[in-house]
Amino acid sequence: MLIHHYFFVLQVLCRYQHIWSIDLRFRPAFLGGIMQATGNKPPAMLPKRAEYMLKDIKRMAKYYQVPVQISEDDFQRVLGTSSLGAMRFITAIDMTQPQYLEPLSREFWIRFWSQHEDISQPENILAVARQAGLSSELAQKLLEMISTPAVKNRLKETTEEAIKYGAFGMPAVVAHFNGEPHLFFGSDRLELLGSIIGECT
């Protein structure tokens, strides 16, 4: 599952990484594994919260200037779509071509939330890869990698690492500052993150 708030955090951190002089690193983790391990459930399963989230997402999309097209039906679509293949593909990129990690993550998000494509399908994964700048040959090679033990184990390891830091959902941001990790959850904690690292007062 590619959770909607993840992209808002991605957008802001990418915009601020040079202003705040932060070393921004993307670590692919599987949300389904985190939710299962922590006993968490998708917030959209609670009707009133789903109603609020629908309004909130539209507000954030306007504020952050992010292309989101969402309706109540999309929550059911999210719950019924697996992103495991996409996350393994992103993991394979992280292991072999990390320079594509950011554009690939962006493109997956846009395809899923703005264009409503089924990112679990191999042909759509390849289309995302091409749009992110990968050659057809490289994209095909990476697609073949997602079923290998190396990629599966790497995604499992990063997911377990996120849980060790205290993650119970996504987006989860871990800020390492003065030798100490600080976990932030959600898209509305960015000012607190800035405060911890001395960039916001």
Side-chain angles (χ1 to χ4, degrees):
M1 188 187 305
L2 290 181
I3 200 67
H4 50 276
H5 290 87
Y6 164 76
F7 193 67
F8 297 117
V9 173
L10 172 70
Q11 287 285 86
V12 174
L13 288 179
C14 286
R15 292 172 187 174
Y16 275 80
Q17 64 176 318
H18 300 300
I19 298 173
W20 286 355
S21 297
I22 56 177
D23 180 13
L24 183 60
R25 301 182 185 182
F26 299 99
R27 299 297 304 277
F30 182 49
L31 178 60
I34 292 175
M35 301 282 273
Q36 184 176 12
T38 59
N40 198 358
K41 294 183 178 180
M45 293 182 70
L46 184 65
K48 277 296 179 184
R49 189 165 182 184
E51 181 181 328
Y52 171 80
M53 284 174 60
L54 189 61
K55 297 176 182 177
D56 196 42
I57 292 169
K58 291 178 179 178
R59 283 194 295 242
M60 286 193 295
K62 183 178 180 180
Y63 181 79
Y64 291 121
Q65 299 180 359
V66 173
V68 180
Q69 301 294 331
I70 189 169
S71 67
E72 292 180 13
D73 295 337
D74 286 313
F75 290 134
Q76 290 303 317
R77 180 174 65 90
V78 170
L79 294 174
T81 302
S82 172
S83 66
L84 182 56
M87 291 311 302
R88 286 177 177 166
F89 191 87
I90 291 173
T91 299
I93 276 284
D94 187 34
M95 294 170 66
T96 60
Q97 306 283 335
Q99 69 271 23
Y100 289 110
L101 196 52
E102 181 185 332
L104 190 68
S105 298
R106 289 176 183 274
E107 190 61 31
F108 267 122
W109 194 94
I110 290 171
R111 294 277 179 141
F112 187 76
W113 283 104
S114 187
Q115 299 175 8
H116 296 178
E117 291 188 8
D118 184 353
I119 58 169
S120 67
Q121 298 302 311
E123 61 270 21
N124 288 339
I125 292 177
L126 291 174
V128 166
R130 288 193 297 271
Q131 189 65 33
L134 280 72
S135 68
S136 297
E137 293 78 12
L138 177 57
Q140 186 61 47
K141 179 181 177 181
L142 291 166
L143 186 62
E144 293 169 1
M145 283 181 63
I146 69 174
S147 60
T148 63
V151 170
K152 291 179 180 179
N153 290 337
R154 176 67 171 271
L155 181 58
K156 183 179 179 182
E157 288 169 3
T158 55
T159 301
E160 290 174 349
E161 185 179 7
I163 295 169
K164 287 180 181 178
Y165 278 121
F168 52 87
M170 287 292 181
V173 177
V174 179
H176 296 270
F177 189 70
N178 287 340
E180 184 180 354
H182 301 267
L183 174 73
F184 295 91
F185 171 77
S187 59
D188 56 352
R189 297 293 185 268
L190 293 166
E191 289 184 353
L192 291 177
L193 188 157
S195 177
I196 286 290
I197 63 176
E199 295 290 349
C200 293
T201 56

